[in-house]
């Protein structure tokens, strides 16, 4: 299984590099919280200083919406230099 991961421009922390393709996105285009798409589900994780909440949405239309956002951002994100 391969993953596509978008990180904030100039972030050089790639813990899944052996399993994922990373791209950089300009800071002003970067969202306020991460979302993850896996199969037909979407996970949204609004990290707080002392609290972790994970919202898992098992809804194909919502997942399609977030997948389209991700694909659009991916197409404009910079490829990392090898």
């Amino acid at each position: 299984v391969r993953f596509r991961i978008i990180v904030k421009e100039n972030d050089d922390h790639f813990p899944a590099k052996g399993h994922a393709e990373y791209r950089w996105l300009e800071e002003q285009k970067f969202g306020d919280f991460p979302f993850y798409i896996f199969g037909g589900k979407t996970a949204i994780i609004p990290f707080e200083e002392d609290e972790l909440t994970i919202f898992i949405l098992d809804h194909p239309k919502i997942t399609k919406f977030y997948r389209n956002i991700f694909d659009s951002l991916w197409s404009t994100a910079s490829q990392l230099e090898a």
Side-chain angles (χ1 to χ4, degrees), residues 18-46:
H19 306 284
E21 180 181 352
Y22 285 86
R23 288 194 180 178
W24 278 326
L25 188 65
E26 299 170 15
E27 186 170 354
Q28 65 268 23
K29 291 183 180 178
F30 213 77
D32 293 331
F33 52 84
F35 63 90
Y36 303 83
I37 300 167
F38 48 102
K41 297 180 182 178
T42 302
I44 299 171
I45 306 176

Side-chain angles (χ1 to χ4, degrees), residues 4 6-8 17 20 22 24 31 34 38-41 44 48 58 67-68 71:
R4 296 184 298 161
I6 298 173
V7 294
K8 196 178 294 184
K17 191 164 186 160
Y22 285 86
W24 278 326
F38 48 102
K41 297 180 182 178
I44 299 171
E48 301 290 337
D58 187 5
R67 188 179 309 275
N68 288 340
D71 288 341

Side-chain angles (χ1 to χ4, degrees), residues 47-51:
F47 290 100
E48 301 290 337
E49 189 171 322
D50 296 322
E51 184 177 338

Side-chain angles (χ1 to χ4, degrees), residues 43-63:
I44 299 171
I45 306 176
F47 290 100
E48 301 290 337
E49 189 171 322
D50 296 322
E51 184 177 338
L52 174 65
T53 306
I54 302 171
F55 298 94
I56 298 176
L57 308 170
D58 187 5
H59 194 288
K61 286 185 179 181
I62 292 172
T63 298

